[in-house]
Amino acid sequence: MNNNRLICPVCGNKLEVRGKSLVCRKNHSFDIARQGYVNLLPVQNKKSLHPGDTKEMLSARRSFLESGIYSEIRDTAVSEVSRLIGNISNPFIVDMGCGEGYYTCSIKNAAENCICTGIDISKDAVKMACRRDKSISWIAATAGCIPIERESTDVITAIFSLISRKEYLRILKKGGFIVEITAGNDHLKELKQIIYDEVYIQNKKPSFVGEEFEEIKREEHKFSFYLKNKELQTLLVMTPHLWRIKKENREKLEQISELTLTAHFWLRVLKKL
């Protein structure tokens, strides 16, 4: 656990490593799991018994991402973070909604001398992420109560993860950055046309997050990719669409031998004023 910027999610005091635990001055204690992560998600901050993605979704996402199909998304985020921290000594980067750690590790590997923390609400996600890189601090926590010290963070990455304006504003340094990637209107539209009886046209763009941030960059990206049936099934399992698909549409998807899909995403960079 190499992050000395962690705070207690109960009282907000600084956490320090004592043996195999993180402890604050009010003696709130959180065990460091044998895998290396720390659960800083108190029961009162949970909305369900097992919040976040399931093991099945995480395993499917790991398999899909490792195939390199989304490498353009990964490289776009990595390139932007590398550019932003170019003149910062030992930058501190927090990847929110880190999942099983694919994007987090790519950012860490490309950013020299950075200190990196991955945060996800799913304990199963950070447990899986620990297997990727022990030098990254992996934390189970919620975006509504980020256990990071005030004004300590140089860059927050939010890759297909919602921005928590109040908490991002609190933990970012003045002049710190948010690198955000969000899905566009046409993202996986071909899959949605099979899953749903009717696909509604949406106007998906990065949303306004307050006057405390200056938008310094916005780019739209699109690319196509081809999947065979087995890969299609993996893609379905890693998305929330899995819970919404009707039985007859699932059967229809199982009959499709191959499909070309669209990846459509927005990159936005925000700077804290």
Side-chain angles (χ1 to χ4, degrees):
M1 188 60 54
N2 65 354
N3 186 348
N4 62 357
R5 298 166 176 81
L6 293 176
I7 60 172
C8 176
V10 179
C11 65
N13 285 298
K14 188 177 180 66
L15 289 171
E16 296 181 353
V17 177
R18 294 186 194 170
K20 295 183 179 180
S21 299
L22 293 178
V23 185
C24 73
R25 64 183 179 85
K26 290 192 175 181
N27 286 322
H28 297 125
S29 181
F30 306 89
D31 292 339
I32 301 172
R34 60 181 178 79
Q35 295 91 345
Y37 73 91
V38 177
N39 187 355
L40 296 181
L41 182 60
V43 173
Q44 61 267 32
N45 289 347
K46 290 184 178 182
K47 294 183 180 180
S48 67
L49 189 60
H50 299 289
D53 293 339
T54 64
K55 291 180 181 178
E56 182 184 23
M57 294 175 72
L58 292 162
S59 294
R61 184 171 298 122
R62 179 178 59 186
S63 175
F64 183 86
L65 293 174
E66 289 294 345
S67 72
I69 293 168
Y70 276 8
S71 60
E72 183 173 332
I73 300 174
R74 176 200 64 201
D75 294 346
T76 299
V78 166
S79 175
E80 198 57 39
V81 172
S82 298
R83 182 183 70 83
L84 292 170
I85 64 171
N87 296 320
I88 302 174
S89 176
N90 303 120
F92 179 47
I93 302 169
V94 176
D95 184 26
M96 292 299 304
C98 67
E100 43 65 63
Y102 172 78
Y103 295 110
T104 323
C105 290
S106 298
I107 291 166
K108 168 70 165 54
N109 291 338
E112 290 187 21
N113 301 317
C114 76
I115 301 165
C116 196
T117 292
I119 296 178
D120 200 280
I121 197 171
S122 168
K123 187 170 72 172
D124 288 326
V126 295
K127 187 185 295 186
M128 189 179 292
C130 283
R131 301 172 196 154
R132 287 186 177 274
D133 191 333
K134 299 290 186 183
S135 71
I136 295 173
S137 296
W138 302 104
I139 310 295
T142 173
C145 182
I146 303 173
I148 299 289
E149 284 184 323
R150 179 180 300 276
E151 297 184 349
S152 64
T153 307
D154 294 292
V155 177
I156 298 172
T157 53
I159 302 174
F160 299 118
S161 175
L162 294 176
I163 286 180
S164 176
R165 187 195 67 83
K166 184 178 178 181
E167 280 293 89
Y168 285 20
L169 190 64
R170 181 184 64 81
I171 72 169
L172 271 177
K173 296 177 181 177
K174 184 177 180 180
F177 301 98
I178 300 171
V179 175
E180 178 194 35
I181 286 181
T182 53
N185 292 340
D186 294 335
H187 190 58
L188 306 181
K189 64 179 180 180
E190 298 84 1
L191 181 64
K192 293 175 186 175
Q193 288 164 359
I194 299 169
I195 290 174
Y196 301 111
D197 297 331
E198 186 175 357
V199 179
Y200 299 97
I201 297 174
Q202 296 176 295
N203 185 27
K204 288 187 175 182
K205 290 184 179 179
S207 58
F208 180 68
V209 292
E211 295 179 353
E212 302 94 342
F213 296 99
E214 176 190 3
E215 183 177 302
I216 61 174
K217 190 170 189 176
R218 181 187 290 216
E219 292 180 349
E220 187 176 14
H221 294 254
K222 274 189 183 184
F223 64 92
S224 296
F225 59 98
Y226 164 87
L227 297 183
K228 293 184 178 180
N229 184 269
K230 185 178 179 180
E231 297 164 321
L232 270 175
Q233 299 299 329
T234 301
L235 175 60
L236 174 64
V237 172
M238 77 179 230
T239 71
H241 301 303
L242 175 66
W243 312 115
R244 302 168 190 155
I245 190 170
K246 294 180 180 178
K247 181 181 177 182
E248 56 267 32
N249 290 343
R250 181 70 183 263
E251 291 172 351
K252 188 193 306 182
L253 184 65
E254 289 171 353
Q255 299 305 312
I256 294 174
S257 61
E258 56 193 39
L259 188 66
T260 298
L261 296 105
T262 301
H264 181 196
F265 67 96
W266 291 91
L267 165 74
R268 177 171 64 167
V269 180
L270 299 167
K271 182 178 182 180
K272 181 181 173 181
L273 299 174

